[in-house]
Amino acid sequence: MTFDEFLAQRLDSLLRYATTLTCDPHQAQDIVQEVVLRAQQRWGRIGRMEQPGAYVTRMVTNEFLSWRRRRQDISVAPQAMGRLGATTADHAGRVDDRQVLLAGIARLPRKQRVAVVLRYYLNRTDDQIADELGCSTGTVRSHVSRAVATLRAGLASIERVEEVR
């Protein structure tokens, strides 16, 4: 497969993945652009791999993690989060839930965010996530568990506020 063929097949999914990680479509584009440039330069080696898509996805993950270390967090309004993913005929309540969930994901620490996105967005196993993050499967389970607990607590606090109204 040539680099152009790979890019035609995978660019949209790489952008969606990066957007979900960053919660900012502009930052996601910057990250994917950096990764695509590096992947193109190394395509002779990457293209011969058994799963070049997984390798490039890992490059996006690594770039996101290093990008977050190099730059300050930028708060993203929940309204901007609504543009993520494919649009569907959601009911109003489901749209609100999605915006709340994405805003909660945006507040997670970077490794917890990566673990949650890999698990629930890309359906990766603990072993695959551990390999991607360079940690143990126990650490992956800890990241996911803490992230889910944080998201649940955030949803519970919103529900309490709505009950008071």
Side-chain angles (χ1 to χ4, degrees):
M1 171 184 308
T2 68
F3 179 75
D4 291 337
E5 292 170 339
F6 171 82
L7 209 53
Q9 290 177 359
R10 294 295 194 122
L11 183 59
D12 287 342
S13 65
L14 290 171
L15 283 168
R16 282 191 307 274
Y17 173 62
T19 302
T20 305
L21 286 177
T22 62
C23 300
D24 178 357
H26 303 291
Q27 185 181 17
Q29 289 174 350
D30 291 343
I31 287 173
V32 170
Q33 182 178 9
E34 290 289 325
V35 167
V36 165
L37 287 173
R38 281 199 318 268
Q40 183 181 28
Q41 293 168 350
R42 301 175 185 142
W43 190 250
R45 182 176 56 83
I46 295 171
R48 290 189 305 267
M49 293 180 170
E50 188 174 320
Q51 295 182 350
Y55 186 84
V56 175
T57 299
R58 183 169 184 168
M59 289 175 70
V60 170
T61 301
N62 291 339
E63 183 67 19
F64 165 73
L65 292 173
S66 66
W67 185 281
R68 303 274 296 179
R69 284 189 290 265
R70 290 190 308 258
R71 292 168 177 79
Q72 293 287 336
D73 281 336
I74 298 172
S75 180
V76 177
Q79 296 81 6
M81 299 297 295
R83 294 191 301 264
L84 294 175
T87 56
T88 60
D90 287 340
H91 292 90
R94 290 184 65 204
V95 169
D96 290 342
D97 292 345
R98 180 179 170 184
Q99 289 176 344
V100 167
L101 180 62
L102 289 172
I105 290 171
R107 289 189 295 271
L108 291 174
R110 67 179 192 261
K111 288 198 176 183
Q112 287 181 18
R113 188 186 307 184
V114 170
V116 165
V117 171
L118 287 171
R119 165 71 52 77
Y120 298 107
Y121 184 75
L122 294 180
N123 297 318
R124 300 278 171 84
T125 65
D126 288 343
D127 291 333
Q128 291 169 324
I129 297 169
D131 185 50
E132 186 111 5
L133 291 176
C135 63
S136 70
T137 57
T139 302
V140 168
R141 288 187 204 109
S142 176
H143 285 321
V144 171
S145 175
R146 288 180 181 156
V148 169
T150 300
L151 293 172
R152 282 184 183 144
L155 291 174
S157 67
I158 290 170
E159 289 171 358
R160 284 193 298 273
V161 168
E162 288 178 357
E163 288 175 3
V164 171
R165 289 184 194 175

